[in-house]
Amino acid sequence: MANDPREHAAYLSDYLRKALVCIDSAGDQPVPKPLVKTMIAAMSVLISKFQNTPDLTAVVQAITTIQSDLKTTAETVQSTAIQVQQNTTTQQHMATLSQETNQAVKEAAEIRRTTTGLLQETNDIAKAINDTTKTTNDMVKVVQYAPPSKASYASVLSSNAAPLSRPITISTQTSSFIQAQREIIVKITDTSTIESLRAKNPRNLQNHVDRAIEQSRNKHIERIRVASANQLKSGDLSIKTSNRNDAEALKQFANDWINRIGRGTSIRLPTYGILAHGIRTSSMDTEKFDEIKAELLHDNRPFIPNADIKY
């Protein structure tokens, strides 16, 4: 007998129809008891199957509930994915902001370091000016109270010195000289190097110079960071340091880092001429250069012991 209720009902319906045909053909004869028992048993089994069959309404409601739960779950997953994406974007923005903050802190530290170096240079200059003023005053006093003697070039220069009451000021030339002490001119003869550096903005150019110095692996200069780097119209580089000592160190160990800037690079060392006012040229015999040189060095040895005259 089939287990499916529908198949069972179809089989029982066919059996009952045949039984009714048999009863009708028997007339007034009694119906056999086994046949009746079979029909009742079959109907009882069928009724039990229908009783145990789940309620279709409950099944539909359960399916509807499952569909609703699945929809809610899908919406929750989608909302969670959007939230995760937003969190990722926020973290990226925070990372970018952190990098920018670190860069700003680094630049502030470089500016503070540069400012400290400039203040030190200013203090050194002020001290040098005070020392020069004191030395000049001492020289003037010596000349004023010295007995008459044969005039030398140094004494002629001292006799034309300004009175003690006249204040000593720093000229524009002195300021330019101080700036020049912190400046390094990198001569560039290679055209491709000039064009490559010209494509960089001042910030990238300064970073390029800092990397070249750092990669030198020279313990005397590898920690030096320049204050600025600019390309001149000639194609050469003007590099300025925070103080004079850094500039001197970079010049001294130029061979360790200058080639990393590019091909055809070299350091151009500036030279300075000295103009002495108040000395008559007619008092000098140019044919006696050695005697004049010796006399000038002798008269100035107390003030400039290591001085030398080239030409």
Side-chain angles (χ1 to χ4, degrees), residues 12-295:
L12 182 58
S13 176
D14 183 61
Y15 179 80
L16 291 176
R17 189 167 47 251
K18 291 179 180 179
L20 287 174
V21 172
C22 180
I23 293 172
D24 289 340
S25 63
D28 294 333
Q29 296 179 359
V31 178
K33 183 186 287 187
L35 178 61
V36 176
K37 290 177 64 177
T38 301
M39 289 189 295
I40 293 173
M43 292 180 66
S44 177
V45 172
L46 179 61
I47 291 171
S48 297
K49 287 185 176 180
F50 275 108
Q51 287 178 342
N52 295 326
T53 300
D55 186 5
L56 294 179
T57 303
V59 172
V60 171
Q61 290 179 352
I63 294 174
T64 303
T65 302
I66 293 173
Q67 289 178 342
S68 177
D69 292 342
L70 290 175
K71 182 178 180 181
T72 302
T73 303
E75 291 176 352
T76 303
V77 171
Q78 184 178 6
S79 176
T80 303
I82 294 174
Q83 186 66 33
V84 169
Q85 184 177 4
Q86 291 176 349
N87 291 341
T88 302
T89 303
T90 302
Q91 290 177 356
Q92 291 176 350
H93 289 166
M94 291 179 64
T96 302
L97 181 61
S98 177
Q99 291 178 354
E100 293 176 353
T101 302
N102 292 337
Q103 182 65 25
V105 170
K106 182 179 179 182
E107 291 178 357
E110 290 292 337
I111 293 174
R112 183 170 63 253
R113 180 172 175 270
T114 301
T115 304
T116 302
L118 291 176
L119 289 175
Q120 182 63 39
E121 287 289 325
T122 303
N123 293 335
D124 293 342
I125 292 169
K127 181 179 179 182
I129 291 174
N130 291 334
D131 294 342
T132 303
T133 302
K134 184 177 182 300
T135 302
T136 303
N137 293 337
D138 293 341
M139 291 174 60
V140 172
K141 288 180 180 180
V142 170
V143 171
Q144 287 178 342
Y145 295 103
S149 61
K150 179 182 178 180
S152 65
Y153 296 109
S155 63
V156 172
L157 178 60
S158 300
S159 64
N160 290 322
L164 292 177
S165 60
R166 181 178 299 175
I168 298 177
T169 59
I170 302 176
S171 65
T172 304
Q173 292 180 350
T174 303
S175 178
S176 299
F177 176 73
I178 296 171
Q179 293 293 331
Q181 288 183 319
R182 298 190 300 110
E183 184 179 26
I184 302 172
I185 300 298
V186 179
K187 183 70 175 177
I188 304 176
T189 57
D190 186 78
T191 305
S192 60
T193 301
I194 293 175
E195 295 302 323
S196 174
L197 297 179
R198 200 180 299 279
K200 300 179 183 294
N201 57 40
R203 170 62 64 184
N204 292 338
L205 193 58
Q206 180 179 348
N207 293 336
H208 180 67
V209 174
D210 286 340
R211 282 195 300 271
I213 297 172
E214 184 179 3
Q215 292 172 359
S216 67
R217 298 293 186 269
N218 186 319
K219 65 179 182 179
H220 299 287
I221 62 173
E222 62 182 356
R223 296 184 180 275
I224 293 178
R225 296 295 179 267
V226 300
S228 65
N230 297 285
Q231 191 168 25
L232 306 177
K233 292 183 178 180
S234 62
D236 298 343
L237 286 186
S238 171
I239 301 173
K240 291 185 179 180
T241 60
S242 302
N243 53 67
R244 182 177 57 190
N245 293 335
D246 287 352
E248 292 298 328
L250 291 177
K251 291 176 183 178
Q252 180 180 357
F253 300 102
N255 292 335
D256 293 338
W257 63 274
I258 192 66
N259 293 330
R260 300 178 186 275
I261 298 294
R263 292 178 299 180
T265 54
S266 60
I267 293 292
R268 189 175 70 187
L269 298 177
T271 57
Y272 305 95
I274 298 177
L275 179 63
H277 296 279
I279 300 179
R280 297 181 180 275
T281 56
S282 59
S283 64
M284 295 186 180
D285 187 354
T286 56
E287 294 182 357
K288 300 179 179 179
F289 174 75
D290 293 336
E291 296 178 5
I292 296 174
K293 173 182 175 180
E295 188 175 357

